[in-house]
Amino acid sequence: MKNEPLLPPLASPHGAGTFDFQEQQQPDSIRVIVALQFAAVCRYAMLEWFTPLVTGLLLGCPFLMSLVVFPTEVRRSGIVAWLLVFLLLFVVLVVLSAPLPLFIRLCSRRRFDIQISAAGLGKRYSRRNIFFPWSKFFWIIERGGDIWLASLMDGCFIPRECFASPEESHEFATIVRELKRTQGAAWHPEWNGRVFGVQTEGGDALSIPR
């Protein structure tokens, strides 16, 4: 029998650690399309201050700098002087770094497809896909209809403009919280194939019936 030549495996066009929504689209999932406008991007940038990594840097850097740069003043004047130095450095750091998250989000792709299932949350961009298992999210914030699922360094922001009403946004947040709390074990069959909110295709807003 003739030996067939060994062919190397084909590289995935979606990159390592990603998956193809079109090939793996499951009926047992919930879908919503996100198209971030400027106002939503600004709110997104503000909420990113609450990720554990950013919060830790904002508090940790002024703390270390106040101990390293002003040790003599701290020893002479006590804890009050150190607190004032810490607060001053904190304010300076916040003012200087405030535009950075906004700039990053304005330069990022602002349209993506979200699919949530018992396994976790997936984000599909035009050229890449990202998947978050429920265990990766630290907390879920619901504010004025916006929904923010925060992980260590990033997360997922779903603006209120994606939903048909505040009630629908709250219902979506309730489902996400339940799935996060139970690590997907609380998936309900009636959620299969659910599409939330106002979807946009070709720039036209379309109301998708529930």
Side-chain angles (χ1 to χ4, degrees), residues 101-117:
L102 179 60
F103 176 77
I104 292 174
R105 289 305 162 193
L106 286 174
C107 294
S108 302
R109 296 185 180 274
R110 290 185 271 166
R111 181 180 173 86
F112 49 89
D113 191 357
I114 287 179
Q115 177 185 338
I116 65 172
S117 64

Side-chain angles (χ1 to χ4, degrees), residues 29-57:
S29 62
I30 295 173
R31 179 173 179 260
V32 60
I33 291 177
V34 176
L36 295 173
Q37 303 301 319
F38 179 76
V41 171
C42 292
R43 301 196 303 271
Y44 189 1
M46 291 177 61
L47 283 171
E48 284 197 304
W49 289 94
F50 296 98
T51 57
L53 179 63
V54 175
T55 302
L57 289 174

Side-chain angles (χ1 to χ4, degrees), residues 25-32 114-116 167-168 171-172 175 187 189-197 199 208-210:
Q25 184 82 19
Q26 300 296 327
D28 52 344
S29 62
I30 295 173
R31 179 173 179 260
V32 60
I114 287 179
Q115 177 185 338
I116 65 172
E167 292 76 19
E168 189 180 60
E171 181 186 3
F172 186 88
I175 292 174
W187 184 267
E190 58 267 26
W191 296 341
N192 294 345
R194 181 79 179 274
V195 179
F196 272 81
Q199 312 300 322
I208 305 297
R210 306 197 319 183

